[in-house]
Amino acid sequence: NAGVTQTPKFQVLKTGQSMTLQCAQDMNHEYMSWYRQDPGMGLRLIHYSVGAGITDQGEVPNGYNVSRSTTEDFPLRLLSAAPSQTSVYFCASSQTSGDNEQFFGPGTRLTVL
Amino acid sequence: AQSVTQPDIHITVSEGASLELRCNYSYGATPYLFWYVQSPGQGLQLLLKYFSGDTLVQGIKGFEAEFKRSQSSFNLRKPSVHWSDAAEYFCASGEAGNNRKLIWGLGTSLAVNP
């Protein structure tokens, strides 16, 4: 199993550009989520999904869109990048029953100029 | 609002010394509690978790944590720290009514002196 994979690892954008951060998991987990990590602010939940076709907002959803067309994939879209979105983004997945452990991807470091 | 507090932003210990990282949660009932570790430039890895039962839980890499309801705490301990333990440590709690969502502490950065 590859676990949770994220692409790209690094990305530089200009203000106003759009892009999609990819996240995939091969563990058949129903729950997937996106976090951003900023110095001194810990992990903040952006969006999450409890299964294909179901998404919901987390703590800091503004400026981001998600969709969940398959169990495996949970892409995060930045519609019009802003410097405030410079951050490290982590995708995580877990089962919706039994063990609560969230498995994390390696992260995407995004810089918006 | 439900919260998780890690009072220590940064801790430095000597290699071989014991370690205790503090975590306090705010939630009336017994929450799901977790400790994760993040090595530099890496994702997060689960060290241990507590749901119910024995209040002393063992994790990977020689770590343990003790749930104390009376103190609303879930402190992480290790008897002898290794240089490779230098990392960021995060405590998290399952959100009330939706334990798939985690409430995160801000983390404690651990440095280990040789």
Side-chain angles (χ1 to χ4, degrees), chain A residues 12-80:
Chain A
V12 179
L13 293 176
K14 294 181 180 178
T15 296
Q17 287 185 314
S18 63
M19 79 158 296
T20 299
L21 307 185
Q22 301 291 345
C23 174
Q25 52 90 12
D26 60 0
M27 297 173 283
N28 201 32
H29 286 168
E30 294 182 355
Y31 185 90
M32 296 185 73
S33 54
W34 276 102
Y35 294 93
R36 59 177 290 172
Q37 184 178 34
D38 303 289
M41 302 189 75
L43 287 156
R44 292 183 291 171
L45 183 65
I46 304 171
H47 285 284
Y48 65 98
S49 169
V50 298
I54 306 169
T55 64
D56 206 347
Q57 295 182 351
E59 182 184 355
V60 288
N62 292 343
Y64 307 95
N65 275 359
V66 292
S67 60
R68 185 92 179 272
S69 56
T70 67
T71 299
E72 294 78 19
D73 300 297
F74 191 43
L76 178 72
R77 298 183 187 84
L78 282 69
L79 307 174
S80 177

Side-chain angles (χ1 to χ4, degrees), chain A residues 35 37 95 99-100 102, chain B residues 36 38 49 90 99-100 104:
Chain A
Y35 294 93
Q37 184 178 34
Q95 300 175 29
D99 197 321
N100 254 56
Q102 289 201 10
Chain B
Y36 282 82
Q38 183 182 29
K49 58 194 174 191
F90 292 93
N99 56 61
R100 295 297 151 187
W104 293 88

Side-chain angles (χ1 to χ4, degrees), chain B residues 86-109:
Chain B
E88 189 88 15
Y89 291 81
F90 292 93
C91 182
S93 165
E95 184 181 79
N98 182 4
N99 56 61
R100 295 297 151 187
K101 289 178 67 179
L102 298 184
I103 309 297
W104 293 88
L106 295 184
T108 297
S109 177

